Amino acid sequence: MNFLRRKSVADLQAEATTDNSLKRVLGPWHLILLGVGCTIGTGIFVLTGTVAARNAGPAVILSFVLAGIASIFAAFCYSEFASLVPMSGSAYTYSYATLGELFAWIIGWDLILEYAVGAITVAIGWSGYVTSLCHDWGIDIPPRLTAAYGTLVTLADGTQVHALFNLPAILIVAAVTILLVIGIRESAWYNNLIVIVKLIVIMAFLALAVHAVNPANWHPFIPANTGEFGHFGWSGLMAGAGTVFFAYIGFDAVSTAAQETKNPQRDMPLGIIGSLVICTVLYIAVAAVATGVVPYAQLDNPAPIALAADRAVGGWMSVFIKIGAIAGLSSVIMVLMLGQTRIFWVMSRDGLLPKFVSEVHPRFKTPWIITIITGVVVALFSALLTVREAGNLCSIGTLLAFVIVCISVLVLRVREPHHKRTFRTPAIWFVAPVGALSAIALMIPLPNAAWSRLIIWFAVGMVVYFTYSARFSRLNEKSP
Ligand code: ALA
């Protein structure tokens, strides 16, 4: 059996004709809003605090710079990959036509870490903000039901106990799953509204809290390493960059809109770089203000930005931030879960996953079975994992996808230069290798737990591919 067999571009075009409703309507501003909307989430609202407190101290600001640079390089390659195959879809689809089935499977399997585990991470972040807001309003969710199993939580009388599971995270995932099953998605209008809410909340935080910055909190800027790799010092700064990379995940949504863009060659880079630059600047500013207001050791909190707002401005500002974060994070969970079910759906249509996965509900016209299965699994793990465990697994998986994409784009330029590309990566001989190397540099310092989970995940993926997917692939029907 040829595991590198490809889907032909002609087949993809034929499939794309069923999807010819896509109109070229998007300009650079639409793309920027799309990118910012999918990107700002748990990374900035939660991980900034945990990374400052546990890895990098005030140098979390530099961690954001490094992760932002790595993302920009990868983003260019991603866009070229997206523009190679004339249909909208994920890296899975593009690699099926260009690299062959085994690579498509690896990327598809890897995208589960980006989308499903990303949704898990954001749901946990959402839970932290909801628990904290409920507390402000006098509703105390029992602490044992607000965090991952085994996490230390403090009861009202001050005693510390181990948590059982994260109930609010289960509830938000259940709510999003129901909306997706009955076919309610975010409209462009709603997406724009949420983006504006997120931006207003962040700008208001920066404008009001900056006055409370005490530069003494930035000293030492890079706290001395504790003797353990990744705990402060330069290794902490690098490990922090790997973790906060999570904050940048989502800009690939821009590259998947190539088919709907008026002038992709000009607007794609504007959209991608524009949204990444806006996010990078905001992230650096938020990290600087948060660590300037609150001593970094105190930022290990489920709602660190609200904590900084509370210290700097007062309770009302903290409530404002929490409401904005809760609205913004719900929309990121929805985008990620929707992306995941679409990828499963396409893989099932290709025969790589069982048929029931692509079964569409007769009334709602949504892939309801896989949406419910995805919802149950995402809910289960968001109840049991910590935000860092889930975020690091998502980061390492997405970084691996970026490495594969950067290398593939270069290989394809050499091997198949004739393909039409609506967007070409500038200076590809520099951008692609640097993109791959910087993604690897962010992966290396991530914790061993993230690495072992990644390896186990791929081992399982290979078993599934060789025992099931390769045998049932629809390309078998077409082989002579
Ligand atoms: N970048 C997104 C977030 O930080 C996934 O929540």
Side-chain angles (χ1 to χ4, degrees):
M1 202 179 282
N2 175 11
F3 299 117
L4 293 181
R5 57 197 167 179
R6 303 193 217 170
K7 252 180 152 182
S8 75
V9 173
D11 278 355
L12 281 174
Q13 275 164 340
E15 278 175 32
T17 51
T18 56
D19 199 14
N20 58 6
S21 52
L22 298 180
K23 295 203 186 86
R24 293 200 177 273
V25 290
L26 302 179
W29 282 107
H30 297 111
L31 295 176
I32 290 177
L33 277 186
L34 180 70
V36 171
C38 301
T39 308
I40 297 182
T42 287
I44 188 65
F45 282 112
V46 182
L47 295 175
T48 315
T50 73
V51 167
R54 299 193 202 176
N55 303 104
V60 63
I61 302 168
L62 293 182
S63 301
F64 272 112
V65 175
L66 291 181
I69 294 173
S71 303
I72 287 190
F73 286 120
F76 274 123
C77 299
Y78 220 96
S79 304
E80 175 162 332
F81 212 32
S83 77
L84 257 173
V85 177
M87 68 185 290
S88 63
S90 65
Y92 161 78
T93 313
Y94 326 136
S95 47
Y96 214 153
T98 50
L99 301 168
E101 186 172 276
L102 183 58
F103 281 98
W105 172 262
I106 291 174
I107 291 198
W109 194 248
D110 194 28
L111 287 177
I112 300 174
L113 295 182
E114 175 173 351
Y115 287 85
V117 182
I120 292 169
T121 315
V122 185
I124 303 169
W126 185 91
S127 161
Y129 273 83
V130 164
T131 307
S132 172
L133 184 65
C134 286
H135 175 76
D136 293 343
W137 287 344
I139 308 164
D140 275 312
I141 305 172
R144 279 199 187 89
L145 304 184
T146 60
Y149 179 78
T151 312
L152 275 182
V153 287
T154 312
L155 300 181
D157 62 8
T159 44
Q160 286 207 314
V161 291
H162 291 285
L164 295 174
F165 62 90
N166 194 332
L167 179 63
I170 298 183
L171 296 180
I172 183 65
V173 175
V176 170
T177 306
I178 292 170
L179 290 180
L180 289 177
V181 167
I182 58 180
I184 298 178
R185 290 187 202 159
E186 289 178 359
S187 59
W189 176 87
Y190 181 78
N191 180 52
N192 289 349
L193 177 77
I194 292 284
V195 180
I196 290 165
V197 167
K198 278 195 240 193
L199 290 176
I200 290 177
V201 164
I202 291 180
M203 304 281 211
F205 169 73
L206 292 175
L208 297 177
V210 72
H211 304 290
V213 165
N214 174 7
N217 287 331
W218 288 328
H219 297 290
F221 189 66
I222 304 180
N225 182 268
T226 56
E228 203 179 325
F229 183 86
H231 288 246
F232 304 105
W234 287 98
S235 68
L237 195 161
M238 284 305 295
T243 301
V244 299
F245 167 76
F246 182 81
Y248 292 96
I249 293 174
F251 64 80
D252 40 326
V254 178
S255 65
T256 58
Q259 295 304 302
E260 292 156 82
T261 304
K262 279 186 219 149
N263 181 353
Q265 183 57 30
R266 187 200 66 184
D267 295 349
M268 273 295 157
L270 284 178
I272 289 174
I273 301 227
S275 52
L276 271 178
V277 167
I278 292 177
C279 291
T280 311
V281 170
L282 289 178
Y283 290 174
I284 291 169
V286 168
V289 171
T291 51
V293 170
V294 183
Y296 66 83
Q298 296 170 23
L299 279 173
D300 199 357
N301 177 292
I305 305 304
L307 172 75
D310 187 26
R311 295 267 176 94
V313 187
W316 70 268
M317 179 70 191
S318 140
V319 168
F320 177 65
I321 300 265
K322 285 173 195 171
I323 294 174
I326 290 166
L329 297 184
S330 331
S331 101
V332 179
I333 300 172
M334 180 171 265
V335 171
L336 291 172
M337 286 192 41
L338 179 68
Q340 180 61 76
T341 54
R342 274 191 186 164
I343 292 165
F344 279 149
W345 187 80
V346 186
M347 290 172 81
S348 152
R349 292 276 298 246
D350 292 337
L352 304 186
L353 289 176
K355 263 209 179 72
F356 72 82
V357 168
S358 50
E359 202 155 295
V360 172
H361 191 280
R363 200 167 114 220
F364 301 130
K365 307 276 179 253
T366 54
W368 64 293
I369 301 178
I370 192 60
T371 305
I372 293 175
I373 295 176
T374 306
V376 169
V377 174
V378 168
L380 184 73
F381 283 96
S382 60
L384 299 177
L385 291 177
T386 67
V387 72
R388 283 174 69 93
E389 286 168 335
N392 283 339
L393 182 56
C394 179
S395 283
I396 203 167
T398 310
L399 286 164
L400 179 65
F402 284 3
V403 174
I404 302 176
V405 167
C406 287
I407 297 174
S408 317
V409 163
L410 194 55
V411 170
L412 287 170
R413 272 278 189 104
V414 176
R415 242 183 37 195
E416 298 176 29
H418 59 275
H419 273 314
K420 185 173 180 299
R421 291 156 166 88
T422 41
F423 171 74
R424 295 172 78 84
T425 303
I428 191 158
W429 285 98
F430 172 75
V431 171
V434 175
L437 287 176
S438 49
I440 293 172
L442 293 186
M443 287 171 83
I444 290 173
L446 281 169
N448 291 343
W451 275 99
S452 32
R453 287 177 181 136
L454 181 75
I455 291 165
I456 293 171
W457 181 246
F458 273 97
V460 174
M462 286 298 104
V463 172
V464 177
Y465 178 73
F466 287 107
T467 55
Y468 180 90
S469 313
R471 283 174 48 208
F472 291 97
S473 164
R474 274 186 54 202
L475 293 190
N476 288 336
E477 298 158 19
K478 293 181 182 154
S479 48

